[in-house]
C-alpha cells in the first residue's frame, strides 16, 4: 500500500477550510506534509519569555506572561474607552492596549494574576513598547504545585506566524496532523542514517513539534538538517551527472588566430590569477561535454578580460559567443569596451579590419529596426563571432549560425529560465560561463551553484588604487555631511569626478489615499531619498557651479547612453544616479562616491557600488551617508562595509543578516526556499559531507532505483518547479 498520499492530503480536508486558506495564502502551506515541515522557530518555557527587554520592534511576537494590572480609561468626553493592561515576566513589563468595543472580553479575562500567551506586533507609543489589540490565550494550570511545575517546565513551540494566524493556532493544527508523521517515508539510505547516528524521520518530526526535553530538539534538528542538505545535494549531483552525459563541440583556439593576435595587442600582462582561471576555462572548452563554470571575481579583478579571451578562443575554433548583460546600460558599455580592447580585430569584413578579425554586434530591445535587422543577419550568417546583448538575445527571432559559448554577466540579476533559453539556442548545448562580482561564500556556492565548477579571481590588476570608506552619520553629525560635499568639490577641483547614489528615482505615484493607516504606519520612516530631488538640491546648494547630471532606469536608453558617454568623457563633474551604475560601469577618472541613505542597500550592493571608484591610478573614496542612530543594526552593517574591502568577508556578513531564502535565489525561481532548518553559513560541514555522500549515491545509482524513499523526497522537497530551477542553474 502506498502511504505517501497521507502527507499529500490537502489541509482543507483535515483542519477546515478557513484555517487552511490562511495557511495557504500567508505561509505557503497546502498539504499535511507542508505543515509537518513548518517547524517551530523557537520554544518558550512557560516560566520564561522572550525577555520583555529584548522585544524586537515591528515584529510579530508571542510572549508568555502574567497580568500585573488592568484599567479602563475613557476619553473623548467619556464616549471612547481604552483598556490598558500591564503584563510582566519578572524581567520586564509590557503594556497591552485594547480599544472601543473590543475592551469588554479582555477586561473580563485578563484579571491581575492571570497567566496567558499573548501575540501581536510590537510598536512604540509614548516611548514605551506596547502590543495593540494582541490575540491571547489564557493558560489555566492545575491547582496542586506539581501540576503547575510540570506545566511551567513544558516547552511551548513558537511557530513562524502571521498577523492572521497566531502561533498557538498553528500548534493546534499541527496536533491534528501529527499522527500522520508515522507515515513519512525516510529519504536517507539506511546505512547513511545509522552510520551517522541519526533518528528515523517520523521520530524527528514528532520531537521537533512536541519535544519533552531540549535533547529531543537537538536530535530532531540534527536529523532534519541532514535531510535538507542531502536531498538538495542529490538533486545537484544528478544534474552534474546528467551534464557529463551531454554532447558538446570541443572548442580549441587556432595557434595563430584571433586570440594570439589579441594577446599581442594587450598593453599589459595578465595577472597570475587571470592566467590560472583562463587555463581552467580553456581546458573545459576543449572537452566534448558542456563547460558549466562560475567565475567569481572581486569588483575590478578583470573578469571581463578573462571572458573576452574565452569568447575569442571559441570564435577561433569556428563558433560564436554570446554575452548576456542584465541592463542595456551595461550591454552598451561591454560592447564599447570590448570593441575598444579589440581595435581592428573587431572590424571583421570591414575596410581596415585585420585578417583574423570578426564582427562584434550589439543586440538590445530598444535598437532601431534597421540596426536590429542587420545584427540578426550577422548572427545567422556567422559574420558576427561575438554578440553582446540583454535578454533581447533570447527571443525566438534570434538565430545563431553556431553558438559555442554563452557568458552570463552578473548572474544574480538574471533568471535561470533566461539562461536556459539561451542555452537552447545552439545546435548542441553551448559551453556556459557565469560571471559574478558578488563574492559567494563556499557553502553558498556548493548549495546554489552546486552544479557549476567554480573559479575565483581574487587579485586586483596592477595600477588599481585602494578605496577608503567612511560612514557619514547625517543625523548625529550634520557637519560630517557638509564636509562630504566639500570633499566632492575638492576631488572635482583636482580634475576628478564623483557619483552620488540614491535609492529611488523620485516623482513616483503618491500612495493611494483612503487606506486607513495603523499607528505604526503613520510613524513610518520618511521615504528614501530620490535622484531627482537630490540632484536639484545639490546643484542649487553644496555643489553649485559644478556640472551635475542624472541617470536612472526610467530614462530612454539613448539618453542613458548619452549621459554615460558624457560622464566617461569627463564632460560632467557629478553623476547623481540610482543603482543602474552598480554593475560594470567603468570610469577610471571617478574617484569619489557618496551613497545617500546607504542603510537602504544590502551589504553586497554597497560593495558593488563602491567598486565603481578607484578604478584608475588615483585613490578612491566612498562615503556612506545614513540617518540611522549609532546603536542600530543598520549602522553596524555600514560599519562592517567601511571596515573591509574583502568581498568574501562581506558576503558572509550579508548572509548572516539576511534570510537564506534570499540567497537561494528566490528571486530567480519564484519558489520559496526549501531550506527550513539548514543555515548555509553555520552548517558548512553538513553541506560539504552531504555533497560527498550525494555524489557517491548518484554515481552508484543515477536513477535512484534502489532508493524509492529518496526519490519521493526529491519530488516532494524539490517540487517540479524547483527541480527545473536547479536544472537551469
Amino acid at each position: 500500500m502506498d502511504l505517501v498520499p497521507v502527507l499529500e492530503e490537502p489541509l482543507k480536508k483535515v483542519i477546515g477550510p478557513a484555517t487552511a486558506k490562511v495557511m495557504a495564502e500567508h505561509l505557503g502551506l497546502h498539504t499535511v506534509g507542508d505543515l509537518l515541515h513548518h517547524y517551530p522557530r523557537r520554544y518558550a518555557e512557560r516560566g520564561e519569555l522572550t525577555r520583555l527587554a529584548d522585544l524586537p520592534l515591528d515584529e510579530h511576537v508571542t510572549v508568555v506572561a502574567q497580568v500585573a494590572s488592568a484599567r479602563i480609561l475613557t476619553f473623548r468626553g467619556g464616549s471612547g474607552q481604552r483598556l490598558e493592561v500591564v503584563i510582566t515576566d519578572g524581567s520586564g513589563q509590557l503594556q497591552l492596549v485594547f480599544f472601543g468595543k473590543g475592551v469588554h472580553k479582555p477586561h473580563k479575562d485578563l484579571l491581575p494574576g492571570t497567566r496567558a500567551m499573548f501575540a501581536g506586533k510590537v510598536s512604540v507609543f509614548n516611548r514605551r513598547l506596547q502590543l495593540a489589540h494582541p490575540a491571547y490565550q489564557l493558560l489555566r494550570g492545575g491547582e496542586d504545585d506539581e501540576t503547575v511545575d510540570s506545566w511551567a517546565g513544558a516547552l511551548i513551540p513558537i511557530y513562524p506566524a502571521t498577523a492572521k494566524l497566531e502561533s498557538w493556532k498553528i500548534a493546534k493544527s499541527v496536533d491534528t496532523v501529527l499522527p500522520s508523521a508515522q507515515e513519512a517515508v525516510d529519504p536517507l539510505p539506511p546505512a547513511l542514517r545509522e552510520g551517522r547516528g541519526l533518528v528515523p524521520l517520523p521520530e524527528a518530526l514528532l520531537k521537533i513539534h512536541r519535544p519533552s526535553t531540549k535533547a529531543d530538539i537537538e536530535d530532531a534538528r540534527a536529523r532534519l538538517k541532514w535531510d535538507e542538505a542531502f536531498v538538495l545535494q542529490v538533486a545537484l549531483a544528478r544534474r552534474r551527472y546528467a551534464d557529463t552525459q551531454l554532447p558538446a563541440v570541443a572548442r580549441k583556439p587556432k595557434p595563430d588566430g584571433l586570440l594570439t593576435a589579441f594577446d599581442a595587442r594587450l598593453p599589459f600582462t595578465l595577472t597570475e590569477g587571470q592566467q590560472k582561471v583562463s587555463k581552467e576555462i580553456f581546458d573545459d572548452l576543449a572537452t566534448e561535454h558542456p563547460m558549466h563554470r562560475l567565475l567569481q571575481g572581486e569588483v575590478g579583478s578583470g573578469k571581463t578580460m578573462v571572458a573576452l579571451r574565452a569568447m575569442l578562443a571559441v570564435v577561433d575554433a569556428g563558433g560564436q559567443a554570446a554575452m548576456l548583460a542584465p541592463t542595456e546600460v551595461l550591454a552598451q558599455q561591454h560592447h564599447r569596451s570590448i570593441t575598444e580592447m579589440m581595435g581592428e580585430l573587431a572590424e571583421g569584413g570591414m575596410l581596415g579590419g585585420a585578417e583574423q578579425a570578426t564582427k562584434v554586434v550589439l543586440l538590445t530591445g530598444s535598437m532601431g529596426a534597421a540596426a536590429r535587422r542587420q545584427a540578426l543577419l550577422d548572427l545567422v550568417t556567422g559574420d558576427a563571432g561575438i554578440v553582446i546583448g540583454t535578454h533581447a538575445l533570447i527571443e525566438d527571432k534570434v538565430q545563431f549560425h553556431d553558438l559555442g559559448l554563452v557568458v552570463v554577466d552578473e548572474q544574480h540579476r538574471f533568471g535561470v529560465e533566461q539562461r536556459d533559453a539561451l542555452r537552447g539556442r545552439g545546435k548542441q548545448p553551448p559551453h556556459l560561463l557565469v560571471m559574478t562580482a558578488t563574492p559567494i561564500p563556499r557553502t553558498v556556492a556548493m548549495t546554489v551553484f552546486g552544479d557549476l565548477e567554480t573559479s575565483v579571481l581574487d587579485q586586483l590588476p596592477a595600477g588599481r588604487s585602494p578605496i577608503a570608506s567612511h560612514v557619514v552619520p547625517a543625523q548625529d553629525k550634520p557637519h560630517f555631511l557638509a564636509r562630504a560635499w566639500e570633499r566632492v568639490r575638492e576631488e572635482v577641483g583636482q580634475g576628478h569626478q564623483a557619483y552620488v547614489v540614491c535609492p529611488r528615482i523620485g516623482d513616483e505615484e503618491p500612495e493611494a489615499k483612503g487606506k486607513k493607516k495603523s499607528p505604526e504606519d503613520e510613524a513610518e520612516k520618511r521615504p528614501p531619498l530620490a535622484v531627482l530631488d537630490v540632484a536639484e538640491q545639490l546643484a542649487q546648494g553644496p555643489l553649485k557651479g559644478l556640472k551635475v547630471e542624472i541617470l536612472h532606469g526610467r530614462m530612454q536608453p539613448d539618453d542613458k547612453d548619452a549621459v554615460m558617454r558624457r560622464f566617461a568623457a569627463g564632460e560632467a563633474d557629478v553623476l547623481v544616479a540610482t543603482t543602474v551604475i552598480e554593475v560594470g560601469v567603468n570610469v577610471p577618472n571617478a574617484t569619489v562616491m557618496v551613497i545617500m541613505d546607504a542603510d537602504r542597500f544590502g551589504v553586497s550592493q554597497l560593495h558593488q557600488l563602491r567598486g565603481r571608484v578607484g578604478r584608475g591610478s588615483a585613490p578612491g573614496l566612498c562615503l556612506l551617508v545614513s540617518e540611522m542612530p549609532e546603536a542600530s543594526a543598520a549602522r553596524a552593517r555600514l560599519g562592517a562595509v567601511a571596515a573591509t574591502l574583502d568581498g568574501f568577508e562581506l558576503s558572509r556578513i550579508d548572509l548572516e543578516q539576511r534570510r537564506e531564502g534570499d540567497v537561494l535565489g528566490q528571486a530567480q525561481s519564484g519558489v520559496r526556499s526549501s531550506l527550513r532548518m539548514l543555515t548555509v553559513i553555520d552548517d558548512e560541514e553538513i553541506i560539504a559531507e552531504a555533497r560527498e555522500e550525494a555524489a557517491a549515491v548518484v554515481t552508484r545509482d543515477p536513477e535512484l532505483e534502489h532508493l524509492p524513499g529518496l526519490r519521493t523526497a526529491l519530488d516532494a522537497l524539490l517540487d517540479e518547479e524547483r527541480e527545473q530551477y536547479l536544472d537551469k542553474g
Side-chain angles (χ1 to χ4, degrees):
M1 171 185 155
D2 188 2
L3 296 172
V4 185
V6 177
L7 297 191
E8 287 175 10
E9 185 103 29
L11 281 172
K12 56 175 181 273
K13 284 191 177 169
V14 187
I15 58 171
T19 310
K21 184 168 186 255
V22 177
M23 284 192 176
E25 284 174 8
H26 294 274
L27 297 168
L29 308 176
H30 303 278
T31 64
V32 169
D34 289 345
L35 182 53
L36 286 174
H37 288 292
H38 185 70
Y39 308 130
R41 174 176 289 157
R42 59 188 178 83
Y43 301 86
E45 290 178 69
R46 285 213 168 93
E48 63 100 64
L49 171 60
T50 325
R51 278 171 37 104
L52 284 179
D54 301 340
L55 285 177
L57 195 58
D58 279 347
E59 279 193 27
H60 286 280
V61 296
T62 303
V63 296
V64 178
Q66 191 161 13
V67 177
S69 66
R71 59 189 187 138
I72 283 196
L73 305 171
T74 54
F75 54 96
R76 285 206 304 260
S79 64
Q81 284 194 320
R82 182 170 83 237
L83 171 64
E84 287 184 0
V85 178
V86 176
I87 57 171
T88 176
D89 67 338
S91 80
Q93 294 193 327
L94 177 65
Q95 179 167 292
L96 316 176
V97 289
F98 299 86
F99 297 101
K101 296 196 171 69
V103 303
H104 306 302
K105 187 169 186 332
H107 191 215
K108 244 185 6 234
D109 290 343
L110 302 176
L111 303 171
T114 308
R115 288 179 70 76
M117 239 188 331
F118 301 93
K121 188 173 175 184
V122 184
S123 57
V124 173
F125 182 71
N126 280 348
R127 309 195 105 170
R128 286 179 66 185
L129 289 183
Q130 69 167 25
L131 298 182
H133 272 290
Y136 61 88
Q137 185 182 23
L138 302 181
L139 299 173
R140 299 193 168 86
E143 295 311 305
D144 60 332
D145 292 348
E146 206 174 299
T147 328
V148 171
D149 283 350
S150 68
W151 181 82
L155 295 161
I156 305 173
I158 306 290
Y159 288 91
T162 73
K164 298 266 190 292
L165 196 64
E166 296 83 18
S167 168
W168 56 81
K169 290 190 182 154
I170 297 173
K172 273 191 179 144
S173 300
V174 170
D175 283 337
T176 311
V177 301
L178 208 49
S180 312
Q182 291 308 322
E183 325 236 311
V185 179
D186 203 319
L188 294 190
L192 174 91
R193 184 171 66 73
E194 286 152 20
R196 294 188 176 273
L198 298 167
V199 300
L201 182 57
E203 187 183 327
L205 289 170
L206 200 62
K207 285 182 166 173
I208 197 79
H209 289 292
R210 298 296 174 262
S212 308
T213 62
K214 290 189 174 160
D216 283 354
I217 301 171
E218 288 314 303
D219 285 352
R221 281 196 169 142
R223 164 63 214 245
L224 295 167
K225 279 182 177 186
W226 250 95
D227 277 17
E228 286 180 10
F230 182 69
V231 174
L232 190 54
Q233 291 301 336
V234 165
L236 292 164
R238 292 186 68 208
R239 185 64 214 155
R240 285 196 301 278
Y241 179 83
D243 283 340
T244 60
Q245 311 300 307
L246 286 173
V249 181
R251 309 278 179 177
K252 295 178 185 152
K254 289 203 290 269
D256 288 316
L258 189 53
L259 181 61
T260 313
F262 175 76
D263 283 350
R265 280 180 56 93
L266 286 179
F268 51 81
T269 48
L270 298 174
T271 64
E272 258 174 72
Q274 284 174 316
Q275 290 171 1
K276 177 177 133 294
V277 170
S278 289
K279 182 180 179 323
E280 293 171 347
I281 292 172
F282 289 157
D283 289 349
D284 280 358
L285 289 173
T287 61
E288 296 196 338
H289 59 84
M291 162 171 87
H292 286 120
R293 192 165 280 281
L294 173 69
L295 172 56
Q296 293 193 54
E298 268 294 8
V299 179
S301 57
K303 292 183 299 300
T304 312
M305 174 59 70
V306 169
L308 176 55
R309 293 183 72 245
M311 295 199 288
L312 295 175
V314 168
V315 175
D316 256 351
Q320 290 169 294
M323 184 182 221
L324 234 58
T327 64
E328 294 208 349
V329 167
L330 197 52
Q332 285 161 339
Q333 179 126 6
H334 275 317
H335 183 251
R336 244 196 328 269
S337 61
I338 283 175
T339 45
E340 277 164 19
M341 283 195 270
M342 288 175 64
E344 72 267 19
L345 295 174
E347 296 171 359
M350 291 186 244
L351 271 167
E355 66 175 300
Q356 302 96 329
T358 185
K359 261 192 186 178
V360 179
V361 301
L362 176 69
L363 190 61
T364 63
S366 65
M367 283 169 73
R372 187 180 168 80
R373 242 194 329 272
Q374 184 58 52
L376 291 172
L377 189 66
D378 289 340
L379 285 181
V380 77
T381 57
D383 285 350
I386 295 178
V387 57
I388 294 154
T390 53
H391 44 262
L393 273 181
I394 313 172
E395 290 172 8
D396 294 339
K397 296 191 194 74
V398 182
Q399 297 297 326
F400 291 87
H401 177 65
D402 178 14
L403 181 60
L405 170 67
V406 176
V407 178
V408 179
D409 187 18
E410 282 306 327
Q411 173 280 339
H412 65 288
R413 302 299 199 77
F414 221 88
V416 272
E417 287 79 8
Q418 294 162 315
R419 253 187 292 171
D420 195 50
L422 192 54
R423 213 191 250 177
R425 286 271 169 266
K427 296 187 176 66
Q428 282 191 321
H431 298 280
L432 176 70
L433 179 65
V434 172
M435 300 198 297
T436 173
T438 310
I440 301 166
R442 174 173 157 256
T443 36
V444 181
M446 284 192 294
T447 311
V448 187
F449 303 107
D451 58 342
L452 297 174
E453 298 300 323
T454 305
S455 298
V456 178
L457 269 180
D458 47 13
Q459 54 187 140
L460 293 184
R464 273 304 170 83
S465 309
I467 305 171
S469 306
H470 302 284
V471 179
V472 177
Q475 194 75 23
D476 311 350
K477 300 177 178 164
H479 58 286
F480 275 39
L481 184 57
R483 175 73 190 114
W485 302 126
E486 281 170 27
R487 281 292 289 118
V488 170
R489 293 193 84 97
E490 286 163 17
E491 288 294 318
V492 172
Q494 289 166 17
H496 297 304
Q497 292 161 281
Y499 295 103
V500 177
V501 180
C502 305
R504 215 164 48 97
I505 297 174
D507 268 1
E508 279 86 354
E509 288 293 296
E511 239 184 75
K513 292 222 166 52
K515 216 174 79 177
K516 276 190 69 171
K517 290 193 170 182
S518 68
E520 297 97 286
D521 293 339
E522 290 293 356
E524 194 45 79
K525 306 171 208 67
R526 61 166 177 73
L529 292 170
V531 168
L532 301 177
D533 309 337
V534 169
E536 193 177 328
Q537 287 158 11
L538 292 177
Q540 292 174 4
L543 302 185
K544 196 170 181 167
L546 301 186
K547 188 148 175 30
V548 177
E549 292 238 22
I550 60 173
L551 180 70
H552 58 72
R554 284 209 306 259
M555 290 164 64
Q556 289 303 317
D558 290 351
D559 297 344
K560 277 192 274 199
D561 199 39
V563 169
M564 268 326 297
R565 278 176 194 272
R566 285 199 295 277
F567 190 65
E571 292 165 21
D573 301 318
V574 180
L575 185 62
V576 182
T578 54
T579 53
V580 287
I581 62 156
E582 176 186 349
V583 283
V585 170
N586 187 19
V587 180
N589 190 42
T591 53
V592 57
M593 173 176 286
V594 182
I595 303 180
M596 307 303 290
D597 279 343
D599 48 273
R600 313 272 179 132
F601 298 96
V603 170
S604 298
Q605 210 174 18
L606 291 169
H607 182 56
Q608 281 287 96
L609 285 165
R610 166 170 67 183
R612 302 298 119 219
V613 294
R615 298 177 80 86
S617 51
L621 172 66
C622 178
L623 302 172
L624 305 166
V625 179
S626 171
E627 293 192 355
M628 296 304 271
E630 197 167 348
S632 63
R635 274 282 287 281
R637 205 171 67 224
L638 296 180
V641 174
T644 178
L645 290 172
D646 178 345
F648 285 93
E649 175 54 31
L650 288 174
S651 68
R652 279 189 82 90
I653 293 168
D654 195 17
L655 191 53
E656 279 161 8
Q657 294 186 334
R658 295 195 301 165
R659 292 194 340 280
E660 314 287 19
D662 303 346
V663 182
L664 293 187
Q666 266 177 309
Q668 292 200 19
S669 68
V671 178
R672 66 204 187 98
S673 161
S674 63
L675 298 195
R676 298 180 178 85
M677 193 53 87
L678 202 63
T679 54
V680 175
I681 287 278
D682 301 338
D683 298 320
E684 183 160 344
E685 273 171 48
I686 295 180
I687 293 170
E689 288 172 20
R691 184 180 167 106
E692 278 175 37
E693 295 270 14
V697 164
V698 171
T699 309
R700 284 196 304 271
D701 181 5
E703 291 303 311
L704 308 179
E705 284 166 12
H706 304 294
L707 295 166
L710 179 53
R711 196 49 267 192
T712 304
L714 259 189
D715 296 342
L717 184 70
L718 310 172
D719 52 29
E720 283 188 11
E721 232 176 322
R722 191 168 168 84
E723 178 98 60
Q724 285 169 0
Y725 156 53
L726 288 165
D727 270 4
K728 292 165 185 169

